[in-house]
Amino acid sequence: MADSDISRILPRVLIVSRRSVRKNKFVDFVGEYHLDLIVSYGAVPVIVPRVNGVHMLLESFEPIHGVLLCEGEDIDPSLYEAETSSLSPDELEEIRRLHASDTAIDKEKDSIELGLAKLCLERNIPYLGICRGSQVLNVACGGSLYMDIEKEVSKKCPEEHRVRHIDYDDYDGHRHLVNVLENTPLHDWFKDSLEEDKMEIWVNSYHHQGVKRLAQRFVPMAYSPDGLTEGFYDPDAYNPEEGKFIMGLQFHPERMRRPDSDEFDYPGCPKAYQEFVKAVIFYQKKLNSSTSVPKPIVLNQEMEKQRKVILRSFSLAKNIYSTRRELHPSKESELEAGAEFLESNTALSLQQENRLKQMGATVRNSNAYIERLKLNEEREKLARSVMGKMSVEQLSDLMSFYHMMGQICSEVVGKKLQGIVNDTAGA
């Protein structure tokens, strides 16, 4: 297979960039570990730039086979109705000072990412949220966040259960324990690294906020000793081999690597990306199978001429039905093409063949056929009497029903006729 063919068939994973400042100019970036893993497992990362107005252009990034959202600033508290009454103005100011790089709200990034998260939830597009991406997913489903873990969680915990969730002096090396829950994807990925009597792994941590109220649709996969949810998923939307994957991880498995090495802390670290991309690939296959459109048949000049003659014949017959007018003698010969076409087709069941022959007779002599289909006066009188006793609403419903039936019949007949044309063209 040529490289150009591969580039067309690989599924697309959207990743929203993070904005930074370099040499007094904004620069958008995505961590290379995310990109490397997505590519290595068989998908194409498509970077959605954090540029003003992009949240209104998300349809331009179609087709979307998966969404990976990762690091970034704090989510605007107004989006999850944060209860700030427990934090004093001095505490809020201290939070802004300690976490200056994270507390600068980026409303455009919020709009882009929440828009993508909701799109995934509506269409069941595979979604993997890492760190901020997990928080976006929770907020998109109605959950809430702690504005600051140290102020709202750590102070209420016994000292032996307190966890340091961010260490600016040891950014990459800092780890803390989490307890993995059984019968979850996370347990399946890390089970070979868990001790028999302990369900614990050490994870990295780069955040001062976290899940406060987990949205109802999600099930936790891991907790830190202070009770903070470190991972969750939707069990009803998780089956990678069926293209289903909705998950949030507070830690960064892609960065859990040994010092000065690309070797992972645990063999299970890349599993989230591997299973995510597996779901993306299956989602693309499912999407393609449901939206595939057969290629149109190209007719040669002679067949195209015959097709137009037949369509003209059907058009005349339709006009006779709808207007109930007599056909001008000069036009009668034009009905022959449609009648002969319908009557000569034998690649059908006996019932279909008889029905098409009836249609052929109708095309050949529409006036006579209409007369045979007319209701006799007694039945018509009875029908009018019954309908005269019906309410306006009932009559309206009846009209809607028959209008719908007429549309369905028209569509089905159209498809059958198109199939006959295609079979004839391929013969």
Side-chain angles (χ1 to χ4, degrees):
M1 182 181 292
D3 290 343
S4 59
D5 294 331
I6 294 176
S7 68
R8 284 196 295 270
I9 65 173
L10 290 179
R12 296 154 51 91
V13 174
L14 268 57
I15 311 177
V16 180
S17 66
R18 183 175 185 180
R19 172 168 281 192
S20 183
V21 177
R22 182 174 180 270
K23 296 182 180 180
N24 300 319
K25 299 291 183 183
F26 285 120
V27 175
D28 283 18
F29 68 93
V30 173
E32 66 173 329
Y33 282 147
H34 300 295
L35 305 177
D36 286 345
L37 287 166
I38 293 297
V39 170
S40 67
Y41 288 121
V44 173
V46 176
I47 298 177
V48 179
R50 185 266 168 246
V51 178
N52 290 337
V54 167
H55 71 278
M56 301 172 63
L57 307 174
L58 296 180
E59 290 184 0
S60 300
F61 291 91
E62 301 276 7
I64 303 171
H65 305 119
V67 171
L68 167 65
L69 298 185
C70 36
E71 57 267 338
E73 297 81 1
D74 294 347
I75 300 170
D76 185 350
S78 68
L79 295 172
Y80 54 89
E81 299 178 355
E83 297 175 2
T84 59
S85 57
S86 62
L87 298 174
S88 68
D90 289 341
E91 286 178 315
L92 291 172
E93 181 57 37
E94 184 182 0
I95 293 168
R96 284 190 285 268
R97 179 176 56 81
L98 290 173
H99 308 287
S101 62
D102 294 325
T103 52
I105 303 301
D106 189 338
K107 292 190 175 184
E108 181 65 31
K109 185 174 175 70
D110 288 345
S111 296
I112 296 170
E113 295 192 341
L114 282 169
L116 285 173
K118 290 175 181 178
L119 188 67
C120 289
L121 295 166
E122 290 170 4
R123 298 190 194 173
N124 291 318
I125 299 172
Y127 177 106
L128 174 59
I130 301 292
C131 195
R132 171 190 156 99
S134 68
Q135 297 172 12
V136 169
L137 179 60
N138 188 49
V139 169
C141 292
S144 64
L145 307 176
Y146 288 112
M147 290 191 66
D148 186 75
I149 296 168
E150 184 178 357
K151 301 292 184 187
E152 298 182 83
V153 178
S154 298
K155 283 186 175 181
K156 299 176 183 179
C157 279
E159 191 169 346
E160 64 270 20
H161 291 158
R162 291 180 185 176
V163 174
R164 190 173 188 180
H165 289 274
I166 191 165
D167 186 347
Y168 289 112
D169 295 327
D170 188 16
Y171 197 76
D172 279 322
H174 178 62
R175 300 284 190 274
H176 69 72
L177 277 173
V178 298
N179 186 269
V180 178
L181 300 183
E182 289 187 274
N183 302 316
T184 63
L186 201 63
H187 175 256
D188 186 51
W189 302 339
F190 286 88
K191 62 184 177 183
D192 293 337
S193 302
L194 298 170
E195 298 179 19
E196 286 186 12
D197 57 339
K198 291 184 178 180
M199 298 285 288
E200 298 174 340
I201 57 173
W202 291 87
V203 301
N204 53 14
S205 196
Y206 313 126
H207 61 106
H208 80 101
Q209 295 192 329
V211 171
K212 182 177 182 180
R213 186 184 71 256
L214 188 62
Q216 188 174 1
R217 69 184 291 165
F218 298 124
V219 171
M221 296 194 297
Y223 288 105
S224 54
D226 57 9
L228 194 74
T229 301
E230 292 280 345
F232 58 89
Y233 78 118
D234 183 347
D236 294 327
Y238 181 84
N239 189 332
E241 294 185 356
E242 291 183 3
K244 298 177 181 180
F245 194 105
I246 301 291
M247 179 180 295
L249 298 175
Q250 183 60 71
F251 55 95
H252 286 256
E254 82 285 354
R255 295 181 66 113
M256 289 170 57
R257 309 198 184 210
R258 303 189 185 282
D260 303 318
S261 170
D262 279 340
E263 183 182 354
F264 287 103
D265 291 355
Y266 304 98
C269 288
K271 279 286 189 176
Y273 289 80
Q274 184 178 6
E275 295 301 297
F276 169 64
V277 174
K278 181 190 293 184
V280 168
I281 292 170
F282 277 94
Y283 180 84
Q284 182 203 34
K285 291 178 180 178
K286 186 164 59 175
L287 188 67
N288 287 348
S289 65
S290 65
T291 58
S292 59
V293 178
K295 293 182 180 179
I297 295 176
V298 179
L299 303 178
N300 60 33
Q301 188 173 1
E302 182 60 30
M303 292 223 39
E304 177 62 20
K305 183 178 178 181
Q306 292 180 20
R307 184 186 71 84
K308 290 181 177 179
V309 170
I310 292 171
L311 288 178
R312 169 65 178 167
S313 180
F314 290 160
S315 178
L316 284 172
K318 179 182 177 182
N319 288 338
I320 295 172
Y321 272 121
S322 59
T323 62
R324 298 203 175 194
R325 293 177 183 172
E326 293 185 2
L327 182 67
H328 193 278
S330 64
K331 300 287 186 180
E332 287 184 1
S333 61
E334 295 189 46
L335 289 173
E336 292 294 327
E340 290 174 2
F341 171 76
L342 291 170
E343 291 179 333
S344 64
N345 192 295
T346 57
L348 300 163
S349 68
L350 182 61
Q351 182 181 6
Q352 290 172 324
E353 185 178 344
N354 289 337
R355 177 59 184 144
L356 287 179
K357 286 181 178 179
Q358 289 177 354
M359 293 173 65
T362 303
V363 175
R364 189 186 303 278
N365 191 358
S366 296
N367 283 331
Y369 193 74
I370 289 172
E371 291 301 319
R372 291 196 301 270
L373 290 179
K374 282 184 179 180
L375 290 172
N376 60 51
E377 291 184 4
E378 190 61 35
R379 291 178 63 193
E380 185 173 339
K381 184 178 179 181
L382 179 60
R384 291 182 181 277
S385 175
V386 172
M387 291 183 184
K389 297 175 183 178
M390 296 172 68
S391 67
V392 174
E393 291 78 6
Q394 289 173 321
L395 288 170
S396 178
D397 289 343
L398 192 62
M399 288 177 64
S400 298
F401 172 77
Y402 281 110
H403 178 69
M404 179 180 67
M405 289 297 102
Q407 286 184 318
I408 293 173
C409 288
S410 178
E411 291 172 5
V412 172
V413 169
K415 289 179 181 178
K416 288 182 179 293
L417 292 177
Q418 181 63 40
I420 294 170
V421 173
N422 290 345
D423 291 342
T424 303

